[in-house]
Amino acid sequence: MKAVFFILLLLALFGNVRIGTFILNRSVFGNRREDALMRWMLTIIPPLILGMSSLYWFAWRETTEQRLSAVGLAGWAWLLMTASVGLYWMVDRAFHNWNPERVPGTRELEGEIVRLRKAHVPFALLRRLGAHNDLYDLEITRHQVVIDDLPPAFEGYRVAFLTDTHVASFMRRAFYRECVDQVRRRRPDLVLLGGDYVSFRRHIPLMAELLLTGLEARDGVWAVLGNHDYWSDPDGIIAAMTSRGVRFLVNRSVQIERGGSVIDVVGIDEIYRGRPDPEAAFANADRRRPCLAVSHHPDVVGRLRNRRVDLLVCGHTHGGQIRFPFFGAVVVPSKHEARYAAGFHLEEDVRMYVSRGLGSIPPIRILCRPEIAVFDLVRS
């Protein structure tokens, strides 16, 4: 009986975390009053769950004494419910981690990891289990995206995507310079920026200096805003970035021409802090042409039904930022939670890629390296 109780108790602890994160994701993340709601939820939810969990003690005590009152029954009911939630969460996460979503028309290529500091934990096994901060272990991921009617002039067209840079003075400046250097080495035809360039207004000049100096591509650098940009100073960020040659795609599109052929590049505004307008964004796009799209938050994909989007790139989630072995991300700021943490997804015929981003607030990444994503467009 003791063994059964403690197994249930362990599962119940996972269940309590799951209940708390579920409430946060459904009621807080994405709400325009997010800050106020977060403070209120963190004041109410943890004490409430802890209070309910105190019933476990009554269930244990009265079971060992071979008597069961109403309080003991309530304890067992809460224990079984939370243990069931915890078990389901563990099985579900393990299943999705071992069976990642397969998106037709995409292919993972060999990438590169650039470590900008030595490992502070000497044992590789411990590092693989999460005993290492991946903050400066930059990963360049490479992908092929098949577009059947891609014009021959765009065969091998290369797109580099950077997002969630969160440039800050407490991060090593060499990290951002290395990010720019890595993009330049890939010789992209197009650079897309996914928002959340800073977390604090005072870092806008630093961001423009470190992130945009030398960042260029044949068909330009195009950007959208993220929720942190709206919190900080959207006008100041746009001014600082446009002065460095960046052009913004806020609910509009641009046509890229190559050899007499054209593809569309569409930008959709941030879904929770901005004012996304797919009608305006796709007004000049043509379904007969290949279409690339960029937006900050992956939840925007639900608003793109009946639109042609061959590749949508998003960020915002940081890949969960702190991940656990065999389990993955616990807190992902999306209504779809860990499903949209990172990687390729297919929704309503829209192929979407969610990048883990580059920055970290707070400055810690566990089993979740910062990422620059590079895509090559091919016909087959």
Side-chain angles (χ1 to χ4, degrees), residues 106-110 140-145 157-159 311 343-344 353 371-378:
T106 63
R107 181 184 179 188
E108 303 291 334
L109 303 178
E110 184 177 357
I140 298 89
T141 60
R142 296 181 56 233
H143 319 271
Q144 278 186 345
V145 177
Y157 192 81
R158 178 163 292 177
V159 180
L311 176 65
F344 277 107
Y353 186 85
E371 174 187 13
I372 295 173
V374 179
F375 305 90
D376 292 335
L377 308 185
V378 297

PDB file of all heavy atoms in Angstrom, residues 106-110 140-145 157-159 311 343-344 353 371-378:
ATOM      1  N   THR A 106       9.149  18.486 -46.480  1.00  0.00           N
ATOM      2  CA  THR A 106      10.225  19.092 -45.703  1.00  0.00           C
ATOM      3  C   THR A 106      11.293  18.040 -45.434  1.00  0.00           C
ATOM      4  O   THR A 106      10.991  16.849 -45.323  1.00  0.00           O
ATOM      5  CB  THR A 106       9.722  19.660 -44.370  1.00  0.00           C
ATOM      6  OG1 THR A 106       9.214  18.586 -43.556  1.00  0.00           O
ATOM      7  CG2 THR A 106       8.615  20.684 -44.595  1.00  0.00           C
ATOM      8  N   ARG A 107      12.503  18.506 -45.310  1.00  0.00           N
ATOM      9  CA  ARG A 107      13.614  17.591 -45.063  1.00  0.00           C
ATOM     10  C   ARG A 107      14.645  18.284 -44.198  1.00  0.00           C
ATOM     11  O   ARG A 107      15.006  19.428 -44.450  1.00  0.00           O
ATOM     12  CB  ARG A 107      14.239  17.172 -46.393  1.00  0.00           C
ATOM     13  CG  ARG A 107      15.405  16.200 -46.261  1.00  0.00           C
ATOM     14  CD  ARG A 107      16.012  15.917 -47.623  1.00  0.00           C
ATOM     15  NE  ARG A 107      17.145  15.011 -47.526  1.00  0.00           N
ATOM     16  CZ  ARG A 107      17.957  14.724 -48.537  1.00  0.00           C
ATOM     17  NH1 ARG A 107      17.746  15.271 -49.719  1.00  0.00           N
ATOM     18  NH2 ARG A 107      18.975  13.886 -48.378  1.00  0.00           N
ATOM     19  N   GLU A 108      15.098  17.592 -43.167  1.00  0.00           N
ATOM     20  CA  GLU A 108      16.136  18.121 -42.279  1.00  0.00           C
ATOM     21  C   GLU A 108      17.513  17.802 -42.853  1.00  0.00           C
ATOM     22  O   GLU A 108      17.789  16.654 -43.226  1.00  0.00           O
ATOM     23  CB  GLU A 108      16.003  17.500 -40.886  1.00  0.00           C
ATOM     24  CG  GLU A 108      14.646  17.696 -40.224  1.00  0.00           C
ATOM     25  CD  GLU A 108      14.379  19.125 -39.823  1.00  0.00           C
ATOM     26  OE1 GLU A 108      15.363  19.862 -39.594  1.00  0.00           O
ATOM     27  OE2 GLU A 108      13.208  19.512 -39.746  1.00  0.00           O
ATOM     28  N   LEU A 109      18.351  18.813 -42.939  1.00  0.00           N
ATOM     29  CA  LEU A 109      19.722  18.630 -43.392  1.00  0.00           C
ATOM     30  C   LEU A 109      20.676  18.755 -42.206  1.00  0.00           C
ATOM     31  O   LEU A 109      20.285  19.201 -41.124  1.00  0.00           O
ATOM     32  CB  LEU A 109      20.064  19.676 -44.456  1.00  0.00           C
ATOM     33  CG  LEU A 109      19.151  19.705 -45.680  1.00  0.00           C
ATOM     34  CD1 LEU A 109      19.580  20.833 -46.619  1.00  0.00           C
ATOM     35  CD2 LEU A 109      19.161  18.373 -46.410  1.00  0.00           C
ATOM     36  N   GLU A 110      21.899  18.359 -42.415  1.00  0.00           N
ATOM     37  CA  GLU A 110      22.878  18.427 -41.331  1.00  0.00           C
ATOM     38  C   GLU A 110      23.195  19.882 -40.999  1.00  0.00           C
ATOM     39  O   GLU A 110      23.532  20.686 -41.871  1.00  0.00           O
ATOM     40  CB  GLU A 110      24.160  17.694 -41.722  1.00  0.00           C
ATOM     41  CG  GLU A 110      25.188  17.638 -40.602  1.00  0.00           C
ATOM     42  CD  GLU A 110      26.425  16.853 -40.991  1.00  0.00           C
ATOM     43  OE1 GLU A 110      26.447  16.308 -42.110  1.00  0.00           O
ATOM     44  OE2 GLU A 110      27.374  16.803 -40.176  1.00  0.00           O
ATOM     45  N   ILE A 140      22.875  26.152 -35.896  1.00  0.00           N
ATOM     46  CA  ILE A 140      22.365  26.554 -37.199  1.00  0.00           C
ATOM     47  C   ILE A 140      21.687  25.334 -37.796  1.00  0.00           C
ATOM     48  O   ILE A 140      22.342  24.337 -38.139  1.00  0.00           O
ATOM     49  CB  ILE A 140      23.481  27.071 -38.131  1.00  0.00           C
ATOM     50  CG1 ILE A 140      24.148  28.312 -37.528  1.00  0.00           C
ATOM     51  CG2 ILE A 140      22.913  27.408 -39.494  1.00  0.00           C
ATOM     52  CD1 ILE A 140      25.309  28.029 -36.619  1.00  0.00           C
ATOM     53  N   THR A 141      20.358  25.361 -37.867  1.00  0.00           N
ATOM     54  CA  THR A 141      19.601  24.240 -38.426  1.00  0.00           C
ATOM     55  C   THR A 141      19.350  24.502 -39.905  1.00  0.00           C
ATOM     56  O   THR A 141      19.115  25.632 -40.328  1.00  0.00           O
ATOM     57  CB  THR A 141      18.262  24.052 -37.700  1.00  0.00           C
ATOM     58  OG1 THR A 141      17.465  25.241 -37.825  1.00  0.00           O
ATOM     59  CG2 THR A 141      18.481  23.770 -36.221  1.00  0.00           C
ATOM     60  N   ARG A 142      19.380  23.435 -40.701  1.00  0.00           N
ATOM     61  CA  ARG A 142      19.204  23.560 -42.159  1.00  0.00           C
ATOM     62  C   ARG A 142      18.069  22.657 -42.612  1.00  0.00           C
ATOM     63  O   ARG A 142      17.938  21.514 -42.146  1.00  0.00           O
ATOM     64  CB  ARG A 142      20.501  23.207 -42.891  1.00  0.00           C
ATOM     65  CG  ARG A 142      21.650  24.160 -42.587  1.00  0.00           C
ATOM     66  CD  ARG A 142      22.896  23.773 -43.370  1.00  0.00           C
ATOM     67  NE  ARG A 142      22.622  23.734 -44.789  1.00  0.00           N
ATOM     68  CZ  ARG A 142      22.886  22.702 -45.595  1.00  0.00           C
ATOM     69  NH1 ARG A 142      23.453  21.609 -45.093  1.00  0.00           N
ATOM     70  NH2 ARG A 142      22.616  22.750 -46.875  1.00  0.00           N
ATOM     71  N   HIS A 143      17.264  23.186 -43.518  1.00  0.00           N
ATOM     72  CA  HIS A 143      16.056  22.485 -43.954  1.00  0.00           C
ATOM     73  C   HIS A 143      15.836  22.701 -45.444  1.00  0.00           C
ATOM     74  O   HIS A 143      16.181  23.750 -45.990  1.00  0.00           O
ATOM     75  CB  HIS A 143      14.827  23.004 -43.200  1.00  0.00           C
ATOM     76  CG  HIS A 143      15.068  23.259 -41.751  1.00  0.00           C
ATOM     77  ND1 HIS A 143      14.907  22.291 -40.776  1.00  0.00           N
ATOM     78  CD2 HIS A 143      15.497  24.378 -41.094  1.00  0.00           C
ATOM     79  CE1 HIS A 143      15.206  22.810 -39.596  1.00  0.00           C
ATOM     80  NE2 HIS A 143      15.566  24.068 -39.762  1.00  0.00           N
ATOM     81  N   GLN A 144      15.255  21.693 -46.085  1.00  0.00           N
ATOM     82  CA  GLN A 144      14.769  21.834 -47.451  1.00  0.00           C
ATOM     83  C   GLN A 144      13.246  21.882 -47.427  1.00  0.00           C
ATOM     84  O   GLN A 144      12.611  21.127 -46.689  1.00  0.00           O
ATOM     85  CB  GLN A 144      15.226  20.674 -48.328  1.00  0.00           C
ATOM     86  CG  GLN A 144      16.635  20.815 -48.870  1.00  0.00           C
ATOM     87  CD  GLN A 144      16.977  19.719 -49.853  1.00  0.00           C
ATOM     88  OE1 GLN A 144      16.279  18.708 -49.932  1.00  0.00           O
ATOM     89  NE2 GLN A 144      18.045  19.898 -50.603  1.00  0.00           N
ATOM     90  N   VAL A 145      12.684  22.757 -48.244  1.00  0.00           N
ATOM     91  CA  VAL A 145      11.236  22.867 -48.374  1.00  0.00           C
ATOM     92  C   VAL A 145      10.882  22.674 -49.842  1.00  0.00           C
ATOM     93  O   VAL A 145      11.363  23.430 -50.705  1.00  0.00           O
ATOM     94  CB  VAL A 145      10.721  24.238 -47.879  1.00  0.00           C
ATOM     95  CG1 VAL A 145       9.222  24.353 -48.084  1.00  0.00           C
ATOM     96  CG2 VAL A 145      11.076  24.419 -46.408  1.00  0.00           C
ATOM     97  N   TYR A 157      16.745  28.654 -53.658  1.00  0.00           N
ATOM     98  CA  TYR A 157      16.608  29.959 -52.999  1.00  0.00           C
ATOM     99  C   TYR A 157      16.741  29.772 -51.495  1.00  0.00           C
ATOM    100  O   TYR A 157      16.101  28.909 -50.897  1.00  0.00           O
ATOM    101  CB  TYR A 157      15.246  30.555 -53.337  1.00  0.00           C
ATOM    102  CG  TYR A 157      15.084  32.013 -52.968  1.00  0.00           C
ATOM    103  CD1 TYR A 157      15.570  33.015 -53.788  1.00  0.00           C
ATOM    104  CD2 TYR A 157      14.419  32.385 -51.813  1.00  0.00           C
ATOM    105  CE1 TYR A 157      15.408  34.359 -53.462  1.00  0.00           C
ATOM    106  CE2 TYR A 157      14.243  33.710 -51.471  1.00  0.00           C
ATOM    107  CZ  TYR A 157      14.737  34.697 -52.311  1.00  0.00           C
ATOM    108  OH  TYR A 157      14.566  36.025 -51.989  1.00  0.00           O
ATOM    109  N   ARG A 158      17.576  30.581 -50.856  1.00  0.00           N
ATOM    110  CA  ARG A 158      17.912  30.373 -49.446  1.00  0.00           C
ATOM    111  C   ARG A 158      17.356  31.497 -48.571  1.00  0.00           C
ATOM    112  O   ARG A 158      17.552  32.681 -48.857  1.00  0.00           O
ATOM    113  CB  ARG A 158      19.417  30.267 -49.271  1.00  0.00           C
ATOM    114  CG  ARG A 158      19.885  30.094 -47.838  1.00  0.00           C
ATOM    115  CD  ARG A 158      21.312  29.590 -47.784  1.00  0.00           C
ATOM    116  NE  ARG A 158      21.404  28.221 -48.282  1.00  0.00           N
ATOM    117  CZ  ARG A 158      22.554  27.555 -48.401  1.00  0.00           C
ATOM    118  NH1 ARG A 158      23.695  28.143 -48.075  1.00  0.00           N
ATOM    119  NH2 ARG A 158      22.565  26.311 -48.847  1.00  0.00           N
ATOM    120  N   VAL A 159      16.695  31.084 -47.496  1.00  0.00           N
ATOM    121  CA  VAL A 159      16.088  32.019 -46.540  1.00  0.00           C
ATOM    122  C   VAL A 159      16.687  31.747 -45.158  1.00  0.00           C
ATOM    123  O   VAL A 159      16.705  30.598 -44.689  1.00  0.00           O
ATOM    124  CB  VAL A 159      14.555  31.841 -46.474  1.00  0.00           C
ATOM    125  CG1 VAL A 159      13.946  32.822 -45.467  1.00  0.00           C
ATOM    126  CG2 VAL A 159      13.933  32.033 -47.852  1.00  0.00           C
ATOM    127  N   LEU A 311       5.442  28.173 -46.756  1.00  0.00           N
ATOM    128  CA  LEU A 311       6.256  28.111 -45.539  1.00  0.00           C
ATOM    129  C   LEU A 311       5.955  29.336 -44.691  1.00  0.00           C
ATOM    130  O   LEU A 311       6.128  30.471 -45.146  1.00  0.00           O
ATOM    131  CB  LEU A 311       7.749  28.066 -45.870  1.00  0.00           C
ATOM    132  CG  LEU A 311       8.692  28.098 -44.649  1.00  0.00           C
ATOM    133  CD1 LEU A 311       8.504  26.843 -43.794  1.00  0.00           C
ATOM    134  CD2 LEU A 311      10.152  28.236 -45.088  1.00  0.00           C
ATOM    135  N   GLY A 343       9.988  23.416 -34.310  1.00  0.00           N
ATOM    136  CA  GLY A 343       9.998  22.514 -35.444  1.00  0.00           C
ATOM    137  C   GLY A 343       8.876  22.731 -36.441  1.00  0.00           C
ATOM    138  O   GLY A 343       8.131  23.710 -36.387  1.00  0.00           O
ATOM    139  N   PHE A 344       8.755  21.779 -37.381  1.00  0.00           N
ATOM    140  CA  PHE A 344       7.755  21.845 -38.444  1.00  0.00           C
ATOM    141  C   PHE A 344       6.392  21.350 -37.964  1.00  0.00           C
ATOM    142  O   PHE A 344       6.298  20.407 -37.179  1.00  0.00           O
ATOM    143  CB  PHE A 344       8.187  20.984 -39.639  1.00  0.00           C
ATOM    144  CG  PHE A 344       9.144  21.661 -40.570  1.00  0.00           C
ATOM    145  CD1 PHE A 344      10.478  21.291 -40.602  1.00  0.00           C
ATOM    146  CD2 PHE A 344       8.708  22.663 -41.429  1.00  0.00           C
ATOM    147  CE1 PHE A 344      11.367  21.905 -41.480  1.00  0.00           C
ATOM    148  CE2 PHE A 344       9.581  23.287 -42.297  1.00  0.00           C
ATOM    149  CZ  PHE A 344      10.913  22.908 -42.326  1.00  0.00           C
ATOM    150  N   TYR A 353       7.070  26.525 -39.543  1.00  0.00           N
ATOM    151  CA  TYR A 353       8.257  26.183 -38.771  1.00  0.00           C
ATOM    152  C   TYR A 353       8.373  27.146 -37.602  1.00  0.00           C
ATOM    153  O   TYR A 353       8.353  28.371 -37.781  1.00  0.00           O
ATOM    154  CB  TYR A 353       9.523  26.269 -39.623  1.00  0.00           C
ATOM    155  CG  TYR A 353      10.752  25.778 -38.878  1.00  0.00           C
ATOM    156  CD1 TYR A 353      11.064  24.426 -38.850  1.00  0.00           C
ATOM    157  CD2 TYR A 353      11.569  26.664 -38.174  1.00  0.00           C
ATOM    158  CE1 TYR A 353      12.166  23.966 -38.142  1.00  0.00           C
ATOM    159  CE2 TYR A 353      12.671  26.204 -37.471  1.00  0.00           C
ATOM    160  CZ  TYR A 353      12.965  24.848 -37.459  1.00  0.00           C
ATOM    161  OH  TYR A 353      14.052  24.392 -36.751  1.00  0.00           O
ATOM    162  N   GLU A 371      18.839  29.170 -31.818  1.00  0.00           N
ATOM    163  CA  GLU A 371      18.769  28.640 -33.184  1.00  0.00           C
ATOM    164  C   GLU A 371      18.705  29.735 -34.244  1.00  0.00           C
ATOM    165  O   GLU A 371      17.983  30.719 -34.104  1.00  0.00           O
ATOM    166  CB  GLU A 371      17.518  27.759 -33.322  1.00  0.00           C
ATOM    167  CG  GLU A 371      17.255  27.267 -34.731  1.00  0.00           C
ATOM    168  CD  GLU A 371      15.927  26.535 -34.870  1.00  0.00           C
ATOM    169  OE1 GLU A 371      15.103  26.628 -33.939  1.00  0.00           O
ATOM    170  OE2 GLU A 371      15.717  25.885 -35.910  1.00  0.00           O
ATOM    171  N   ILE A 372      19.464  29.523 -35.311  1.00  0.00           N
ATOM    172  CA  ILE A 372      19.275  30.217 -36.582  1.00  0.00           C
ATOM    173  C   ILE A 372      18.789  29.165 -37.569  1.00  0.00           C
ATOM    174  O   ILE A 372      19.437  28.129 -37.747  1.00  0.00           O
ATOM    175  CB  ILE A 372      20.585  30.846 -37.092  1.00  0.00           C
ATOM    176  CG1 ILE A 372      21.058  31.953 -36.148  1.00  0.00           C
ATOM    177  CG2 ILE A 372      20.399  31.400 -38.501  1.00  0.00           C
ATOM    178  CD1 ILE A 372      22.436  32.493 -36.493  1.00  0.00           C
ATOM    179  N   ALA A 373      17.641  29.390 -38.191  1.00  0.00           N
ATOM    180  CA  ALA A 373      17.075  28.424 -39.125  1.00  0.00           C
ATOM    181  C   ALA A 373      17.331  28.882 -40.551  1.00  0.00           C
ATOM    182  O   ALA A 373      17.094  30.041 -40.900  1.00  0.00           O
ATOM    183  CB  ALA A 373      15.572  28.270 -38.886  1.00  0.00           C
ATOM    184  N   VAL A 374      17.820  27.962 -41.385  1.00  0.00           N
ATOM    185  CA  VAL A 374      18.123  28.247 -42.784  1.00  0.00           C
ATOM    186  C   VAL A 374      17.321  27.288 -43.659  1.00  0.00           C
ATOM    187  O   VAL A 374      17.339  26.063 -43.422  1.00  0.00           O
ATOM    188  CB  VAL A 374      19.627  28.098 -43.069  1.00  0.00           C
ATOM    189  CG1 VAL A 374      19.923  28.365 -44.548  1.00  0.00           C
ATOM    190  CG2 VAL A 374      20.441  29.046 -42.184  1.00  0.00           C
ATOM    191  N   PHE A 375      16.612  27.833 -44.644  1.00  0.00           N
ATOM    192  CA  PHE A 375      15.737  27.031 -45.512  1.00  0.00           C
ATOM    193  C   PHE A 375      16.168  27.183 -46.966  1.00  0.00           C
ATOM    194  O   PHE A 375      16.413  28.296 -47.437  1.00  0.00           O
ATOM    195  CB  PHE A 375      14.279  27.500 -45.378  1.00  0.00           C
ATOM    196  CG  PHE A 375      13.759  27.490 -43.972  1.00  0.00           C
ATOM    197  CD1 PHE A 375      13.897  28.633 -43.167  1.00  0.00           C
ATOM    198  CD2 PHE A 375      13.154  26.373 -43.437  1.00  0.00           C
ATOM    199  CE1 PHE A 375      13.424  28.637 -41.881  1.00  0.00           C
ATOM    200  CE2 PHE A 375      12.681  26.367 -42.134  1.00  0.00           C
ATOM    201  CZ  PHE A 375      12.823  27.502 -41.355  1.00  0.00           C
ATOM    202  N   ASP A 376      16.245  26.052 -47.649  1.00  0.00           N
ATOM    203  CA  ASP A 376      16.497  26.037 -49.099  1.00  0.00           C
ATOM    204  C   ASP A 376      15.231  25.585 -49.806  1.00  0.00           C
ATOM    205  O   ASP A 376      14.682  24.517 -49.492  1.00  0.00           O
ATOM    206  CB  ASP A 376      17.642  25.088 -49.444  1.00  0.00           C
ATOM    207  CG  ASP A 376      18.985  25.587 -48.937  1.00  0.00           C
ATOM    208  OD1 ASP A 376      19.126  26.810 -48.770  1.00  0.00           O
ATOM    209  OD2 ASP A 376      19.884  24.747 -48.708  1.00  0.00           O
ATOM    210  N   LEU A 377      14.745  26.387 -50.749  1.00  0.00           N
ATOM    211  CA  LEU A 377      13.555  26.046 -51.513  1.00  0.00           C
ATOM    212  C   LEU A 377      13.963  25.208 -52.727  1.00  0.00           C
ATOM    213  O   LEU A 377      14.890  25.572 -53.467  1.00  0.00           O
ATOM    214  CB  LEU A 377      12.825  27.304 -51.973  1.00  0.00           C
ATOM    215  CG  LEU A 377      12.487  28.343 -50.902  1.00  0.00           C
ATOM    216  CD1 LEU A 377      11.655  29.471 -51.499  1.00  0.00           C
ATOM    217  CD2 LEU A 377      11.768  27.707 -49.723  1.00  0.00           C
ATOM    218  N   VAL A 378      13.280  24.084 -52.923  1.00  0.00           N
ATOM    219  CA  VAL A 378      13.586  23.196 -54.054  1.00  0.00           C
ATOM    220  C   VAL A 378      12.287  22.742 -54.708  1.00  0.00           C
ATOM    221  O   VAL A 378      11.214  22.798 -54.096  1.00  0.00           O
ATOM    222  CB  VAL A 378      14.422  21.970 -53.602  1.00  0.00           C
ATOM    223  CG1 VAL A 378      15.779  22.400 -53.056  1.00  0.00           C
ATOM    224  CG2 VAL A 378      13.664  21.165 -52.548  1.00  0.00           C
TER     225      VAL A 378
END
